[in-house]
Amino acid sequence: MADTPERATDASGTTDAAPSPPAYTAREMMAIAAGRFIADGDVLFAGTGVAMLAATVAKRIHAPHAHIFFETGGIGPQLDELPMAVADPRVMAYADLNAGLVEAFSYVANRRLHTIAFLGAAQIDRYGNMNSTVIGDYDHPTVRFSGSGGACDAGSLASGFIVFMQHGTRKFVEKLDYLTTPGWLEGGESRRHAGYRRGGPLAVVTNLCVLRFRKDTKAMYLAERFPGVTVEEIVANTGFVLDVEGAGVAKPPTAEELRILRDDVDPQRLILG
Amino acid sequence: MAERNGLEGKLMTVEQAVARFVRDGSQIAVGGFTINRNPMALVYEIARRRVRDLHLVVHSNGQALDVLVGAGCVGRLEIAYGGNGRFAPTCFRFRKAVERGEFLVEDYTNNQMTLRFLAGALGVPFIPSKSGLGTDVLAREGFPPDVRGRDGVAPHKAHLMADPFDHGEDQVALLPALTPDVALLHAQQVSTDGTVRIRGLTFADLEQCKAATTVVVTCEEIVPASFLKLEPDRNSLPPFLVDAVVPVTYGAHPTACPYFYDYDPAHLNLYKAAAKDDDQWPVYLEEWVYGVESWDAYLDKVGGAQLARIRANTVAGYAPGLDRR
């Protein structure tokens, strides 16, 4: 599964990020900020947790003609209820079609489609490479996570991917303990030289900000901080030297975006917390 | 059912199926995906029989994996993902066992594992993929050299090569085929001649069953062969690939079986509380696995009202409005 350890249930980002009305939580801001990356008509590959929320929000608000699919084989479901895992039967209800993993990955990798994956991980580095396997030595890990699931596949094969992370120095690290999902690898042209024809991370959405990657070096930079969050706070929570040149401020969620997210997408607050 | 003759020699109980086909050291592919259609009745019986040193080969597995690991049945594991969505971002017994070094683990990805089963089904020794180039998934081997090259373990985890058709401009990773001893599957329907119909998502179940030497299928119901033959387009596996058929109502509980029942949030929460806690885990195993006298007794413990709550809407396939907190 293209999910991340911890993130799905991590409640540390749910404090209010801004005093200005309407009040909203960091997780709500994350879901809405990520949804804004989606263009109408895109084909979206969603993992579990906030990723699923963002894909659902994108479809309801920003991109009604986007198509959501899941690696389990649920292709274009209606998503009347929020799934809690990519194998939740809610990813198959009233779908375009139901199949299996071979079919799902043939859409992830399909050359005709512009597929965007929503992923997460335990660690990320400045080039958007991610770890969802272990903390510590691989042979004797101090912490074991779920493993790749489909995250490495989506990172390898999709047209691009968007990452969700809680911001913190243990998550934004200089060096990954294990490289599960390929980002821009060592930056520059290294991803292409490794044998990839397309893809790579487009943005990282955290509880504090939106980060993107410079066109030439492929290094991460601060694109937009969320309202009420300072640049210093973001830098202090990043375990590598972060490029903050030219950073702007994200537009806060509108009342309508929040209403759809809360009332239609996750009324039981299964993922919003 | 008059047509049941077609199942002669295949129709059996969970106890008979496990006793006949699952041995210490067997290589087992487990059907389903995290919280959906795990063959739990078979898993509980494997745990009860104290089968040891299983070599599990799975993509994204949740409940079945965690119970087998927690019951000490697993010696080797090739896996892409051990989690149960919101109920367990990482499966608890799996996590503890890996951190304690209790068995050998080899990490692959979902696409890689699926392709490896497909290769096994097609009779090719390996299959190319473009997943994981430049990552530790391909660079790091989890199984030590001394277990490789025998007992169904490939000599290498993967092999990188240049595309021979484009003058070496493109890179691919070759992955070894998998041919498990046994595939365990829970399906909604099996017909009186052994045809299998899976409803909803098929995950990599079909590839796993076609790659395996033996296929054991539990099912919610046995239906007339003539009924499944009315719409053969909807069928999943032919009778000649199926070795054992075991009717078990609610046989995937607490995972979902679409159009029959949803996953059971109450049980998965109860499981989570026990699986996180080393002291509570043996209590859970005793109460829900070892000490359960029969499948009827298991369902009685779950409770009629709870089984009614998770009953799927027959159109939607899940239980709309189910409290999933």
Side-chain angles (χ1 to χ4, degrees):
Chain A
M1 200 175 334
D3 186 24
T4 76
E6 295 193 332
R7 179 189 43 71
T9 53
D10 187 343
S12 64
T14 55
T15 51
D16 282 357
S20 58
Y24 53 90
T25 67
R27 190 165 288 201
E28 288 171 339
M29 181 74 225
M30 282 176 87
I32 289 166
R36 292 171 181 162
F37 280 96
I38 302 309
D40 217 8
D42 278 354
V43 180
L44 311 179
F45 172 98
T48 318
V50 183
M52 199 172 285
L53 205 55
T56 312
V57 168
K59 185 161 172 64
R60 298 285 176 94
I61 301 174
H62 310 283
H65 301 102
H67 301 273
I68 299 177
F69 74 104
F70 297 87
E71 66 197 274
T72 46
I75 314 297
Q78 196 164 300
L79 297 176
D80 287 341
E81 287 192 11
L82 189 68
M84 296 221 283
V86 296
D88 191 313
R90 286 154 189 78
V91 310
M92 50 154 240
Y94 311 112
D96 295 334
L97 67 97
N98 287 322
L101 273 67
V102 168
E103 284 85 354
F105 285 114
S106 67
Y107 302 132
V108 177
N110 195 293
R111 71 190 188 285
R112 286 185 58 196
L113 304 176
H114 192 253
T115 50
I116 302 295
F118 286 81
L119 307 173
Q123 292 181 325
I124 190 165
D125 69 14
R126 74 177 73 238
Y127 296 115
N129 303 302
M130 298 193 289
N131 171 16
S132 50
T133 303
V134 293
I135 298 293
D137 174 32
Y138 180 59
D139 294 321
H140 305 281
T142 51
V143 181
R144 171 70 205 202
F145 294 122
S146 58
S148 161
C152 171
D153 305 308
S156 300
L157 306 171
S159 307
F161 63 91
I162 294 167
V163 182
F164 291 93
M165 300 279 291
Q166 290 292 319
H167 222 123
T169 51
R170 290 193 304 171
K171 289 177 170 280
F172 284 72
V173 297
E174 187 68 43
K175 185 167 175 21
L176 303 176
D177 290 27
Y178 182 100
L179 200 172
T180 312
T181 298
W184 297 113
L185 295 177
E186 289 147 35
E189 296 296 310
S190 59
R191 182 180 166 97
R192 192 170 58 79
H193 292 147
Y196 293 113
R197 293 285 179 86
R198 69 177 193 178
L202 305 173
V204 182
V205 180
T206 79
N207 48 318
L208 303 178
C209 62
V210 175
L211 304 146
R212 305 195 68 158
F213 298 87
R214 296 289 182 201
K215 278 200 167 55
D216 48 352
T217 64
K218 308 295 188 195
M220 196 184 288
Y221 71 94
L222 177 62
E224 290 183 335
R225 60 195 166 84
F226 290 162
V229 178
T230 64
V231 171
E232 292 70 30
E233 194 180 343
I234 293 163
V235 167
N237 277 288
T238 306
F240 50 83
V241 177
L242 184 64
D243 173 357
V244 300
E245 197 185 325
V249 180
K251 194 162 64 84
T254 65
E256 178 64 3
E257 285 173 327
L258 286 170
R259 187 195 64 73
I260 292 171
L261 179 63
R262 291 169 182 170
D263 298 349
D264 296 349
V265 177
D266 190 10
Q268 287 192 38
R269 299 193 78 82
L270 297 171
I271 293 171
L272 287 173
Chain B
M1 226 171 286
E3 298 175 58
R4 201 170 271 208
N5 288 345
L7 288 177
E8 204 170 336
K10 294 182 182 179
L11 196 62
M12 59 187 82
T13 64
V14 163
E15 292 79 3
Q16 290 167 331
V18 171
R20 188 177 306 176
F21 295 116
V22 180
R23 301 194 171 81
D24 287 358
S26 290
Q27 188 179 120
I28 307 274
V30 184
F33 195 112
T34 62
I35 53 170
N36 197 329
R37 251 184 341 85
N38 286 209
M40 295 309 297
L42 290 166
V43 163
Y44 295 140
E45 178 61 16
I46 290 168
R48 272 193 292 270
R49 288 182 66 84
R50 309 291 209 275
V51 176
R52 291 293 177 260
D53 296 321
L54 290 178
H55 178 170
L56 291 191
V57 287
V58 298
H59 45 83
S60 286
N61 209 250
Q63 197 64 13
L65 162 79
D66 212 43
V67 171
L68 288 172
V69 165
C73 302
V74 179
R76 292 172 190 175
L77 176 62
E78 298 186 52
I79 188 170
Y81 185 91
N84 249 355
R86 187 174 159 276
F87 296 104
T90 303
C91 283
F92 298 100
R93 302 317 301 178
F94 160 74
R95 173 179 172 166
K96 285 173 187 284
V98 177
E99 289 170 5
R100 291 169 185 162
E102 289 175 7
F103 54 77
L104 301 174
V105 187
E106 193 70 277
D107 280 285
Y108 284 95
T109 73
N110 275 347
N111 189 38
Q112 289 170 345
M113 288 303 285
T114 303
L115 290 172
R116 297 179 67 203
F117 289 120
L118 179 62
L122 292 173
V124 295
F126 55 83
I127 191 162
S129 148
K130 289 187 71 71
S131 283
L133 301 169
T135 71
D136 287 329
V137 176
L138 292 179
R140 297 293 306 267
E141 298 217 348
F143 285 179
D146 61 306
V147 308
R148 292 198 158 278
R150 58 194 169 86
D151 302 329
V153 179
H156 306 290
K157 184 177 185 182
H159 178 82
L160 292 179
M161 73 172 286
D163 180 346
F165 298 106
D166 77 345
H167 311 290
E169 288 173 17
D170 203 4
Q171 294 288 314
V172 294
L174 306 184
L175 305 168
L178 281 168
T179 50
D181 297 318
V182 186
L184 306 178
L185 175 69
H186 185 74
Q188 284 88 350
Q189 295 174 321
V190 175
S191 79
T192 47
D193 71 356
T195 302
V196 177
R197 179 174 290 178
I198 294 172
R199 300 207 50 205
L201 308 172
T202 51
F203 311 119
D205 289 349
L206 310 182
E207 290 79 12
Q208 288 173 200
C209 288
K210 286 181 273 198
T213 307
T214 302
V215 175
V216 176
V217 185
T218 55
C219 61
E220 292 296 319
E221 59 187 20
I222 305 255
V223 298
S226 54
F227 172 71
L228 291 198
K229 287 182 198 302
L230 285 175
E231 292 183 279
D233 302 1
R234 297 174 65 201
N235 295 341
S236 309
L237 290 170
F240 49 83
L241 278 183
V242 175
D243 299 281
V245 174
V246 186
V248 193
T249 307
Y250 284 99
H253 181 274
T255 70
C257 187
Y259 300 98
F260 283 74
Y261 45 93
D262 216 321
Y263 49 86
D264 183 344
H267 193 94
L268 290 169
N269 282 324
L270 174 158
Y271 181 89
K272 175 183 180 175
K276 279 167 112 148
D277 182 337
D278 284 343
D279 295 329
Q280 286 305 306
W281 174 244
V283 178
Y284 176 92
L285 271 184
E286 189 56 40
E287 184 179 348
W288 288 94
V289 183
Y290 300 146
V292 175
E293 281 175 20
S294 64
W295 192 245
D296 283 356
Y298 176 89
L299 296 180
D300 279 345
K301 278 183 69 61
V302 175
Q306 184 59 14
L307 293 176
R309 276 181 215 115
I310 65 170
R311 195 180 79 94
N313 178 289
T314 55
V315 178
Y318 59 89
L322 177 66
D323 186 346
R324 296 181 285 141
R325 284 169 291 184

